[in-house]
Each structure stands twice: as C-alpha cells, then as structure tokens.
Amino acid sequence: MDTRRIETPWTTGRRWMLMGMTTTLFACGAGGDESPGNPEAGPQELESCAYVVAASTHMGSESWGSITFKNTGTNDIQNPQISFNVPSGVTCGEGPSGWTRLQGGTTCQYTSSSHLTIGVDTSYTFSYFTDSSTSFTATQVQVSAVRCASTADEKEGLTATQKTLAEALTRIWENNTPSLDVTLQAASHGALPYEAAMSEAKKWGLTTALSKAALYDAFIQHGEAGVRELLQRTHASLGVSGQAAPAVGPQGLSEDAWLRGFLEQRRDTLAADPEGRYAIDRVATYEKQRRRGNWELLTAVQNDVRARDCWNVAYPDSGFTVRKLNPDGSWSTPASYLYSCR
C-alpha cells in the first residue's frame, strides 16, 4: 500500500454594525403572498444548501436595517427568500424593489420575484424598513431559495465550508501549512480524490462531514488502491458480512464505530511503514474530532494531538506545526497548547 507523504515547497451595499458570522444550512423552497397568517413555505421540495449570514443592527433613528449573507455553496442561489424575527409589536415595511412581503406575528418574510441570482462566493445585502423607532437586532435569520441548483451528488458531498476545512487539514500534513496558496497533490494516479471519497462515503452509508473528510484525506495520502485495501480491512475487522454495502445502518453498524475502525486500520498501516510511521499523527486529529463529536465540523479543529495521545503507544512524533482551523475557513497558529486526544 502506498503510504508515502508527498513533499512540496514548504460588500455589497450599506452595512451597519455586524453582529457576527454564523455558518449554517438553508433549504430551498418558495415564498407566498402577503397574508395575516404565519409565513409558510411553498409546495416545492426543500433542499439543503450552504450559506453564511451576518445580521446587522436595525437603526431605530432611521427605521432601517439590513441583512447580509454569502453564498458558500457550489452553485448559484436563485430567487432567495429571507425571514427573520422582530420584536413584538413591530411591523415590517416594504423591502427592495422586486421583493414581496409577508408577516405573521413577529416573523417577517421577503421573497425575491425579480429573477435574482446570487453567484457562488458572492455576498448580497438585503435592506428593509419597519415602523420601529427603537434599535434592535433581527433574530432567527433564515435564507431560503426557489432554486439552489444542487445535484444529488453535491448534496451527498461536503459543503463548501466543510471541504475548505478538510483541505486545510490535509495541507498541514502535506505542507505544514493550511494556506490555500498551496496545491494539494494525490499520492497516486486513479480517481480524483474528492470524487472518489464522496462515492465511497455514499456506497458505505457515511453521512457525516468528519467521516467524509477522513476518507478524502486518506485518498490523498494512500491513493485509490490503498484506500480500497483500508476499507476491506476495516469492514473485515467490524464483521461486515461479505463486505456488503452499505456498512452503516442496515448491518447494525453506527458511523461512530465505522470511523473508529477505519482510523485504527489507517493508523496500523502507517505504523507498519518505515516512512509512513512519521506521518501517523495525521490520523490522530480525526480521532480527536470523533471523540469530541465534531461530526459536521461546526467547531474549530486544532491538530494539537499525537497518535500516542489517543492510543497510548510510543508512536513517533510527526512534528507538524499546530494550527487552529475555524469553520469559516480562517486559521491561526496558537501561541500555546497542550497535546491531548480529548
């Protein structure tokens, strides 16, 4: 099995005070016309897409506020719908030209009817008025869309932010830096690592971002043939009958148990290789996130863990520089840390 480590050279519109950035998911649906009842989604099927939203403070002196969100998915967002809560007694006024308004109780909902398209990695600022002369912050902001242009394969993969974080981790292993300026390289020829990893995740019933990220990293380091051997050994060790897919769910196997088994097989593969053993801490970071339950990579990931911390064996120290990777794609080098698998 190939275990070698590849060596490579080391806003749109006016905004008020931003209240913070939150990574979340939104669903694709349709809006409706204004009525006194609660806002309801249209009859179209909902789909999940990725976005980042920043809610601004409503300025009571001007009765005006804005909401900015960024499309972090892999496809355009078409005809978005925005809903948010306002204080009791506040009435939302008209939105921008081309948007229809609906309010039910304290929930205000605006739907674009002007064929608005928000491109990938593009931000959009929505402005609105109310009858309130008091400043407040819109809460429970949700963004929907008539169309996210998502395909079945994309929905079964990683979101854009999850993929960015996963690749930043791999850049640490390959280049000792998560910088996006460094290109990832696969260990061997064959299927493209990301597509191959997502295909295997679907085949074996894996649904979490952490499992998919661990598979993706393994494809980059071990190559297609190496991962298939890892999978065979993982399923044999877990008693998967006849290597039949999917392994998780129908055969009574949890994803937690599957990932634990896969990481242990990868650990043993690296430990047995004269060169691969010096990259064994690569596996420990995924094990630490498994123990922490960071299944969707919604909290920061830090590689302040060694294989010896997780499995109480005197494995060699890989010597990777410790980095902190945030869900929004930013990263830093912590001034201090303690090695731990917890």
Side-chain angles (χ1 to χ4, degrees):
M1 181 184 300
D2 189 350
T3 59
R4 70 182 183 274
R5 180 181 176 192
I6 303 301
E7 297 296 334
T8 59
W10 293 82
T11 66
T12 303
R14 181 182 179 189
R15 304 186 186 187
W16 299 104
M17 183 186 303
L18 296 183
M19 302 304 293
M21 302 293 284
T22 304
T23 303
T24 184
L25 296 174
F26 65 81
C28 296
D33 296 327
E34 185 172 358
S35 72
N38 291 328
E40 295 182 356
Q44 292 161 298
E45 183 180 358
L46 301 180
E47 300 176 356
S48 294
C49 307
Y51 74 100
V52 175
V53 63
S56 69
T57 300
H58 176 275
M59 304 300 289
S61 59
E62 299 184 29
S63 301
W64 183 90
S66 68
I67 295 171
T68 300
F69 64 92
K70 180 179 181 180
N71 177 7
T72 60
T74 57
N75 296 282
D76 294 345
I77 299 171
Q78 299 180 12
N79 296 343
Q81 179 186 94
I82 301 174
S83 66
F84 52 92
N85 284 4
V86 296
S88 178
V90 172
T91 299
C92 291
E94 297 302 323
S97 176
W99 291 74
T100 58
R101 173 174 54 93
L102 175 66
Q103 182 165 355
T106 59
T107 301
C108 299
Q109 177 178 286
Y110 295 84
T111 303
S112 171
S113 57
S114 58
H115 305 291
L116 173 64
T117 297
I118 302 170
V120 174
D121 223 22
T122 299
S123 295
Y124 180 84
T125 297
F126 172 80
S127 303
Y128 64 97
F129 289 91
T130 74
D131 64 354
S132 176
S133 59
T134 302
S135 297
F136 63 85
T137 300
T139 61
Q140 298 186 35
V141 178
Q142 296 184 5
V143 180
S144 309
V146 172
R147 180 173 171 80
C148 303
S150 296
T151 65
D153 286 343
E154 286 164 343
K155 289 188 290 183
E156 289 159 357
L158 295 168
T159 67
T161 50
Q162 291 167 343
K163 187 170 183 283
T164 296
L165 194 153
E167 291 178 344
L169 262 179
T170 296
R171 285 184 174 89
I172 293 176
W173 318 138
E174 298 293 316
N175 309 287
N176 207 33
T177 175
S179 174
L180 295 176
D181 296 333
V182 180
T183 302
L184 292 176
Q185 299 184 39
S188 64
H189 296 292
L192 293 175
Y194 179 73
E195 288 75 8
M198 298 308 105
S199 177
E200 290 296 328
K202 177 182 177 182
K203 175 181 178 180
W204 298 107
L206 307 175
T207 62
T208 69
L210 182 59
S211 295
K212 294 172 185 177
L215 260 180
Y216 184 18
D217 182 67
F219 266 96
I220 291 174
Q221 185 183 26
H222 301 276
E224 185 175 6
V227 172
R228 297 198 186 285
E229 183 178 337
L230 278 173
L231 290 171
Q232 290 179 354
R233 287 167 42 192
T234 298
H235 298 148
S237 70
L238 294 171
V240 175
S241 178
Q243 299 283 340
V248 174
Q251 300 200 47
L253 187 66
S254 70
E255 189 154 341
D256 181 70
W258 183 93
L259 182 57
R260 177 179 179 177
F262 178 77
L263 294 176
E264 288 175 349
Q265 292 300 320
R266 189 179 176 196
R267 173 204 65 195
D268 292 347
T269 296
L270 291 173
D273 184 88
E275 183 178 349
R277 64 195 301 263
Y278 291 102
I280 198 167
D281 292 349
R282 184 169 183 156
V283 184
T285 295
Y286 300 98
E287 173 64 12
K288 181 171 183 174
Q289 298 309 308
R290 183 192 71 82
R291 296 185 186 189
R292 287 189 164 189
N294 191 14
W295 291 101
E296 298 306 325
L297 303 178
L298 297 178
T299 59
V301 175
Q302 194 162 300
N303 63 311
D304 52 352
V305 59
R306 301 160 300 188
R308 66 180 69 174
D309 302 317
C310 295
W311 293 292
N312 197 29
V313 175
Y315 295 115
D317 190 340
S318 299
F320 298 116
T321 301
V322 174
R323 315 286 189 179
K324 180 180 180 181
L325 309 178
N326 299 308
D328 64 2
S330 63
W331 62 275
S332 61
T333 303
S336 62
Y337 52 85
L338 293 174
Y339 283 112
S340 171
C341 201
R342 295 294 180 183

